[in-house]
Amino acid sequence: MSILDLENLSIDFPTSKGVVHAVTGVTLSVEKGRRVGFIGESGSGKTTTALAAMRMLAAPGFVSGGEIRLNALDHPNVLDLSDEEMRQVRLSKIAYIPQGAMNSLNPIMRIEHQIWDGIVAHEGGVSEAELKRRSNAALEGVGLDPKIVARLYPHELSGGMKQRVCIAIGTCLDPHLIIADEPTSALDVITQRHVMQTLREAQARIGAGLILIGHDMGLMTQSVDEIAVLKKGELVEYGPTQQIIETPQHPYTKELISSVPLVGGASFLDPAPATPAEGEHGDDPLLELRGVSKVYGNVTALHPMSFRLDGATPQIISIVGQSGSGKSTMGSLMLGFNPPSTGEVLFKGRDVYTQSAAEKLAFRKDVQAVFQDPYACFNPFYRVNHALKFPFERFGLSKGADHTRTAMEEACIAVGLAPETVLDRYPHQLSGGQRQRLIVARALMLSPKLLIADEPVSMVDASLRATILKNIHDLKDQHGISILYITHDLATAYHVSDYVMVLYKGHVVEAGPPKEVIGDPQHAYTRLLIDSIPWPELDRDWGSYESARAALDRLAEIETRPETVYRGEVPGFALSQG
Amino acid sequence: MGRIPADYLLNRLFTLFLTVFIAATLIWIIPRMSPINPVDVMIGRMAAGGGSVENSGAILAQLTERFGLNDPWYVQYWLYVRNTLTFDFGISTASFPTPVVTMIANALPWTLGLMLISLVITFVIGNLLGALMVWERTPRLWKVAIPAAMVFTSIPPILSGLLLMYVFSTQLGLFPLTGAYGLNVEPGWSWDFAASVLYHGFLPALSIVVVTFGFWALGMRGLMITVQGEDYTVLAKAKGLKPRYILYKYMIRNAILPQITAFALKIGMLVAGQVLVERIFAYNGMGKLLYDAILDQDFPVIQGVSFVIILMTALAVFLVDLIYPLIDPRIRHGEATS
């Protein structure tokens, strides 16, 4: 029996520039106990469709046509309910698990109170002992110990724990349907697997239907029974997961599947040119870390480590790890933004933190950065030209306005952007992918020797990731720039890098060429990371709820005895722990 | 949360003391940079009152001696610090020989009463209206009326006071024009006196509320818009919580936090805040005392009033530092802020 039926659903957003048809003519059903995935890129209407079922569309959006039927109700037509009736349906019949794990809980309320207020809003006066019993059961149901968690405030929990509290809230009234809106997008792969398994387990226990909203085909393959592919508000393909994965019909579905970079398989990069560009030749190595460590308060973010990057042959060195592994700390240390607690950072033989003002200026020109958030990298008040032009002129590279213009256009073309469509525009007029490529173009204009790219593609849509990584990879082959690529994504590191180091809690646990480290991991932690990746292949098992939990226990064990597994050398780079 | 750590308390107390000390030193220095000699002003006033002053030179010397104005600056400063710490602000030069502390003691309760009550009323009304401007369930009429009422914010309090006096006292005869209590009642702890005080305090309080609620409402509106977009507010709605519960426990409760800091700063300022309102309503509070003292070049009174203002501000900030962790669990006593 179906729980939810969407019948020819259309949703419009009237704006000052005319009506935007966010969703047009979507028809689908969710069966009891079934899991349906809504997949598409940002702006595809997947969240809007799901929110319409809860009548929670953001203003000014409204349902302009079609029907939403929730069959558990006496009067199933959701659109006919009064506001008060709709309020009673929420949580008790349809529960919502939000996207932002970090921010979804009221910061000034204890965890258990945030479960209680939901129960009280739907059942009225319930005794405190009964509330306590039920909130404890709900927390236990998502693998949290109520004795520890119930009385805490949200800021005292990790992201994964917060998201499991949201699942506990969503399932505490045994709803018929659960809508989970990218519930794991802010989490690392190991936590993602655990939270996703927790959600599936809770949903199966209460026999609810599940709508999982997401953009990651791999996660969908491993989590849902049916997949609905949305593009620009239209349902372009809908069917059982196996059928969608194995015989996709619509070109957009095929694109979504192929945009997931895989470990092994065909590379998305162009073959290297016959005569790759030369790097920097000098007496001193390009970048050297000598016994560098970083301690914040009583937390060691990075344990002492050393490496030497010659730079004569340009290379891409990947630093891989989860959030909190110390990888971004390493990036800021190398950029001269964050003095190390011990040891020294040397660029061309000079200590980055004690160099003179003139040396510092040269260092800033030679070492460029690409950061994670392409939205925060531009000053919104200036056209993007300003961001490109300003450093170019300030470092004295410009020979006049025409020369600057030519350099900007060349840089745009080098990253695959048509100059006339992006220059002279404001940042908000460009997409995230365009902005991130402009940031790469800006770095390129200064002909740096070293580029530090900290999660450069984690915030752009999947289909653009390969393109931007290709741009970055070209910097090495065609412009002779050495690159430090900081990422949590093992699959992209596998393809672009010459050498990979895997970081865990500030320790390098495994290091070597990517074919060895990622293709055939030896360290328990690296293996755990690889096992936690959801693959868009049905015959690859993502493991059970128990194995995901056991993985977390194994992590704690790894932490107690750090060791480094060296998997081979590459010329021009040397690494040691200590 | 819970108990306040001793080292944190000591640290805060030290900051409190240092703030008061530095500020007290400044208010000692600043009037001394003025070219006017207060004794001259006093003689001038005597002359204005009695036609001419016999032996004015001798009186001048005697008064200068009496006020310690001949002593070297460090002696004057040392005496000032010692006396200030014991709340001895000396003797008024304008209302000679009334001790300044007596004048402040007479004026302070009136100002605290009037200003604290109007500040609390303004805080409650302003924040509530600011919240209602954002809440999606607010009746449409209110959403139009509240921003329209903001027009009053642009009126200086002195004009709003005069306007209120004209309408309610002169034209309608509903409220008294001036004074803090009626001439027919005896000051003391009686119902008649209390009623008279409330009756007389109504218009000055209203004139303050009307022109200052917009400050709170606009601040609250901005904070509420942020909170409205937060994921926890969206989840609260998805949980099917009742709209009023969401408004109070999820939205206002989070949005109000920065406003509480602003409230503490205002407590210190309120003593001096509405000098002109007290002036036009002839309300014998600290504002009027300060106003008169400035006109009369009455250094001891200016210093005394300024010191009380500083002390109140510093104390209010100190108290907010102590209570803030109780209202926001994310803030802890003694944790370094970065």
Side-chain angles (χ1 to χ4, degrees):
Chain A
M1 193 194 84
S2 73
I3 294 168
L4 177 79
D5 292 309
L6 303 180
E7 187 100 20
N8 212 10
L9 180 72
S10 295
I11 297 164
D12 285 352
F13 280 76
T15 68
S16 54
K17 288 180 186 157
V19 177
V20 175
H21 304 291
V23 175
T24 37
V26 168
T27 301
L28 57 79
S29 315
V30 182
E31 303 282 324
K32 186 175 180 358
R34 297 281 279 179
R35 299 185 288 264
V36 179
F38 283 16
I39 190 165
E41 297 194 342
S42 44
S44 64
K46 55 191 193 298
T47 302
T48 309
T49 307
L51 284 181
M54 300 194 78
R55 288 244 315 261
M56 282 193 33
L57 288 176
F62 69 99
V63 174
S64 58
E67 266 187 41
I68 303 167
R69 282 193 308 276
L70 192 62
N71 295 317
L73 305 179
D74 298 339
H75 305 286
N77 195 338
V78 167
L79 298 173
D80 289 343
L81 298 178
S82 72
D83 283 353
E84 174 59 18
E85 285 166 333
M86 193 62 224
R87 178 187 76 71
Q88 288 170 11
V89 168
R90 292 185 190 132
L91 194 67
S92 66
K93 300 287 188 289
I94 311 182
Y96 178 72
I97 292 163
Q99 178 168 18
M102 294 302 152
N103 230 343
S104 295
L105 297 168
N106 187 345
I108 48 94
M109 263 172 122
R110 292 183 196 278
I111 297 301
E112 63 181 2
H113 293 165
Q114 306 200 36
I115 301 175
W116 296 0
D117 66 8
I119 299 174
V120 171
H122 294 279
E123 297 178 8
V126 180
S127 75
E128 187 161 332
E130 173 68 8
L131 285 172
K132 183 101 192 162
R133 192 190 61 73
R134 286 173 65 178
S135 67
N136 285 356
L139 289 171
E140 274 162 11
V142 294
L144 293 170
D145 183 353
K147 284 198 282 296
I148 300 167
V149 173
R151 301 286 297 162
L152 294 180
Y153 288 98
H155 70 273
E156 295 168 298
L157 305 185
S158 71
M161 288 166 96
K162 278 189 239 190
Q163 198 55 292
R164 283 187 281 152
V165 170
C166 289
I167 296 172
I169 292 172
T171 51
C172 70
L173 294 181
D174 296 355
H176 295 247
L177 177 67
I178 300 168
I179 297 172
D181 187 357
E182 308 218 18
T184 59
S185 62
L187 307 173
D188 59 75
V189 281
I190 295 174
T191 318
Q192 163 172 285
R193 182 165 72 146
H194 184 223
V195 167
M196 214 43 235
Q197 303 284 25
T198 307
L199 176 60
R200 277 170 50 161
E201 217 254 351
Q203 171 258 340
R205 193 177 61 230
I206 61 177
L210 173 72
I211 293 176
L212 178 68
I213 300 167
H215 61 265
D216 178 349
M217 207 39 133
L219 183 63
M220 286 294 167
T221 310
Q222 297 296 340
S223 310
V224 299
D225 307 312
E226 288 162 42
I227 292 178
V229 183
L230 285 114
K231 187 187 186 190
K232 293 188 177 153
E234 283 177 51
L235 191 60
V236 296
E237 196 161 356
Y238 174 41
T241 303
Q242 187 170 7
Q243 179 195 320
I244 299 278
I245 297 299
E246 287 174 358
T247 52
Q249 301 299 314
H250 197 277
Y252 182 64
T253 313
K254 290 177 189 161
E255 192 190 319
L256 280 176
I257 295 171
S258 66
S259 69
V260 182
L262 299 178
V263 173
S267 171
F268 54 85
L269 300 170
D270 300 326
T275 49
E278 287 286 293
E280 177 80 356
H281 289 278
D283 300 337
D284 294 306
L286 187 65
L287 183 71
E288 187 172 6
L289 266 63
R290 284 188 194 153
V292 165
S293 75
K294 184 71 194 183
V295 180
Y296 298 105
N298 48 18
V299 179
T300 305
L302 190 67
H303 291 276
M305 64 168 303
S306 307
F307 73 66
R308 203 186 70 248
L309 172 63
D310 282 352
T313 324
Q315 279 170 329
I316 297 184
I317 311 295
S318 289
I319 303 168
V320 180
Q322 298 173 260
S323 47
S325 61
K327 60 186 193 302
S328 288
T329 299
M330 265 183 87
S332 62
L333 280 165
M334 294 184 291
L335 279 168
F337 293 154
N338 189 357
S341 305
T342 64
E344 46 193 359
V345 181
L346 304 167
F347 181 74
K348 292 186 185 170
R350 294 286 304 162
D351 188 331
V352 168
Y353 291 91
T354 58
Q355 55 194 350
S356 69
E359 285 171 326
K360 198 159 233 164
L361 199 66
F363 170 77
R364 284 276 164 254
K365 181 192 151 300
D366 283 346
V367 181
Q368 287 298 310
V370 176
F371 294 116
Q372 180 171 17
D373 187 349
Y375 295 89
C377 278
F378 287 95
N379 185 336
F381 291 107
Y382 291 108
R383 291 172 207 275
V384 293
N385 304 16
H386 182 80
L388 268 65
K389 202 194 295 179
F390 190 73
F392 189 67
E393 288 173 349
R394 281 301 155 110
F395 284 119
L397 301 173
S398 172
K399 297 189 195 95
D402 287 345
H403 177 236
T404 308
R405 184 79 198 180
T406 318
M408 288 195 324
E409 285 171 0
E410 278 169 3
C412 285
I413 292 164
V415 296
L417 291 172
E420 63 275 14
T421 60
V422 291
L423 294 176
D424 300 316
R425 312 205 43 191
Y426 285 98
H428 66 88
Q429 296 171 310
L430 303 172
S431 73
Q434 285 175 317
R435 291 185 223 198
Q436 196 64 305
R437 286 152 92 174
L438 276 171
I439 291 292
V440 177
R442 187 200 63 89
L444 178 60
M445 281 174 73
L446 303 175
S447 339
K449 305 288 178 289
L450 181 68
L451 181 78
I452 294 173
D454 190 350
E455 297 273 15
V457 294
S458 68
M459 285 181 73
V460 294
D461 275 331
S463 58
L464 282 169
R465 286 185 192 168
T467 324
I468 292 171
L469 285 171
K470 221 180 281 175
N471 294 152
I472 290 176
H473 192 257
D474 286 349
L475 296 183
K476 180 188 89 161
D477 279 347
Q478 294 171 7
H479 301 272
I481 300 168
S482 287
I483 296 160
L484 281 150
Y485 174 50
I486 300 172
T487 185
H488 69 275
D489 182 357
L490 289 118
T492 58
Y494 177 83
H495 288 289
V496 300
S497 46
D498 299 297
Y499 191 88
V500 175
M501 44 180 133
V502 180
L503 230 60
Y504 179 63
K505 302 255 167 167
H507 285 285
V508 177
V509 294
E510 190 161 0
K515 301 281 175 293
E516 274 75 43
V517 174
I518 299 171
D520 174 30
Q522 294 300 313
H523 193 279
Y525 177 71
T526 322
R527 249 181 276 152
L528 196 56
L529 278 179
I530 305 268
D531 288 347
S532 302
I533 300 174
W535 300 92
E537 291 166 13
L538 284 164
D539 48 357
R540 270 188 101 129
D541 187 19
W542 204 27
S544 63
Y545 176 64
E546 282 69 34
S547 67
R549 269 193 96 155
L552 290 182
D553 298 337
R554 227 175 310 144
L555 271 185
E557 196 184 309
I558 293 166
E559 201 184 337
T560 54
R561 40 177 190 79
E563 45 163 359
T564 311
V565 181
Y566 296 98
R567 303 294 307 284
E569 305 273 316
V570 291
F573 186 81
L575 169 83
S576 65
Q577 188 80 41
Chain B
M1 250 180 69
R3 262 164 28 83
I4 299 164
D7 55 343
Y8 175 79
L9 193 63
L10 274 176
N11 183 323
R12 289 288 109 184
L13 274 171
F14 178 71
T15 313
L16 170 72
F17 179 78
L18 199 70
T19 312
V20 172
F21 181 77
I22 291 171
T25 303
L26 282 178
I27 58 175
W28 180 81
I29 293 171
I30 290 166
R32 259 149 259 266
M33 290 162 74
S34 153
I36 300 164
N37 182 349
V39 178
D40 285 345
V41 177
M42 221 172 147
I43 299 289
R45 197 168 26 237
M46 285 179 178
S52 69
V53 181
E54 303 261 332
N55 302 327
S56 61
I59 293 174
L60 196 79
Q62 194 196 336
L63 283 174
T64 308
E65 179 64 35
R66 175 84 200 274
F67 284 118
L69 294 175
N70 287 335
D71 293 336
W73 67 268
Y74 50 87
V75 174
Q76 290 188 37
Y77 179 66
W78 163 245
L79 285 174
Y80 166 76
V81 169
R82 198 191 63 192
N83 292 340
T84 304
L85 289 179
T86 55
F87 290 97
D88 177 0
F89 304 116
I91 290 162
S92 164
T93 54
S95 311
F96 189 79
T98 322
V100 173
V101 70
T102 315
M103 295 168 76
I104 291 176
N106 287 336
L108 192 59
W110 294 108
T111 290
L112 278 185
L114 174 69
M115 296 300 165
L116 207 55
I117 287 169
S118 47
L119 180 66
V120 169
I121 293 172
T122 315
F123 184 79
V124 172
I125 292 180
N127 282 304
L128 205 57
L129 292 182
L132 287 179
M133 278 199 273
V134 176
W135 194 41
E136 56 182 19
R137 298 253 178 162
T138 309
R140 194 159 296 186
L141 183 66
W142 283 71
K143 286 212 166 166
V144 180
I146 298 167
M150 293 290 181
V151 169
F152 291 110
T153 308
S154 60
I155 304 174
I158 180 164
L159 274 184
S160 76
L162 288 173
L163 193 74
L164 288 170
M165 281 163 97
Y166 176 74
V167 175
F168 288 101
S169 304
T170 321
Q171 294 296 307
L172 298 175
L174 289 176
F175 290 100
L177 258 179
T178 59
Y181 52 90
L183 297 173
N184 53 344
V185 291
E186 194 65 26
W189 296 107
S190 69
W191 286 115
D192 283 349
F193 181 68
S196 178
V197 167
L198 284 178
Y199 180 55
H200 280 77
F202 187 83
L203 276 190
L206 186 66
S207 77
I208 294 166
V209 171
V210 159
V211 298
T212 53
F213 84 91
F215 169 83
W216 299 107
L218 283 179
M220 189 62 174
R221 181 176 169 274
L223 292 163
M224 283 288 286
I225 287 173
T226 311
V227 170
Q228 190 182 39
E230 292 284 356
D231 295 332
Y232 56 79
T233 314
V234 177
L235 183 61
K237 195 177 170 192
K239 278 160 82 178
L241 302 180
K242 293 184 175 148
R244 274 172 196 241
Y245 181 87
I246 299 176
L247 176 67
Y248 292 120
K249 290 278 188 166
Y250 280 74
M251 299 177 74
I252 292 182
R253 182 63 178 72
N254 278 292
I256 201 87
L257 295 170
Q259 296 286 77
I260 287 173
T261 308
F263 182 79
L265 295 174
K266 287 268 171 186
I267 286 183
M269 294 308 295
L270 65 77
V271 174
Q274 301 298 351
V275 171
L276 293 173
V277 171
E278 289 195 0
R279 171 78 195 125
I280 60 169
F281 283 100
Y283 203 88
N284 286 316
M286 295 284 280
K288 186 161 176 299
L289 186 64
L290 183 63
Y291 176 87
D292 292 340
I294 291 170
L295 284 187
D296 293 338
Q297 294 285 322
D298 195 343
F299 283 2
V301 174
I302 297 173
Q303 279 174 354
V305 173
S306 307
F307 184 76
V308 170
I309 292 169
I310 289 159
L311 198 63
M312 300 256 316
T313 311
L315 272 176
V317 171
F318 173 70
L319 284 178
V320 162
D321 274 351
L322 291 192
I323 65 162
Y324 213 88
L326 302 179
I327 55 173
D328 187 349
R330 285 165 295 183
I331 310 291
R332 295 228 185 102
H333 288 300
E335 241 169 54
T337 49
S338 58

